Amino acid sequence: MESEPWTIFRSHYDFNTFYCMPGQEGAHEKGGVEQEGGRFRRSHLVPVPDVPSLEELNARLALIDEAEDERMLRGKLTTIGFNFRTKPRNWPHCPQRTSSAA
């Protein structure tokens, strides 16, 4: 079941949703995202950063994010930052939320 804000968002951008199959049948469908999350965690958050504040942690993560922009994914010819910068910028703004449902 989809939340009302999600339904409004996908309706506004006119796309259909497709969800992974549950269980072992769909386990291969989200592997790249799971692998990337694990790589980032192992590379930058293990051991847990010793920082005095959340602001300091956010500053460190911002520097890591900038460095990641120069990284190229295996099999790709352009950097992550280049791909992000060249995404279409003419998409309409996100619709306003009409309820407090999350």
Side-chain angles (χ1 to χ4, degrees):
M1 182 166 170
E2 294 180 345
S3 68
E4 181 183 354
W6 175 246
T7 302
I8 292 169
F9 177 82
R10 70 175 181 77
S11 297
H12 179 79
Y13 287 104
D14 194 28
F15 67 88
N16 293 322
T17 52
F18 172 80
Y19 299 101
C20 295
M21 295 179 352
Q24 295 222 336
E25 297 82 24
H28 69 283
E29 294 181 341
K30 60 180 183 158
V33 171
E34 296 291 334
Q35 179 180 347
E36 182 58 25
R39 184 206 63 81
F40 186 90
R41 179 183 51 77
R42 288 186 301 278
S43 299
H44 305 294
L45 300 173
V46 173
V48 175
D50 184 17
V51 293
S53 67
L54 185 57
E55 290 77 19
E56 174 67 24
L57 178 60
N58 285 336
R60 283 192 193 183
L61 291 174
L63 292 174
I64 292 168
D65 186 44
E66 286 179 29
E68 288 282 307
D69 281 350
E70 300 307 313
R71 193 166 63 87
M72 291 179 70
L73 298 175
R74 187 180 318 145
K76 302 294 182 181
L77 301 176
T78 55
T79 65
I80 292 170
F82 175 83
N83 293 339
F84 181 78
R85 288 187 302 273
T86 58
K87 279 176 40 178
R89 298 291 184 210
N90 58 352
W91 291 354
H93 291 290
C94 187
Q96 294 296 314
R97 186 176 260 195
T98 58
S99 73
S100 61

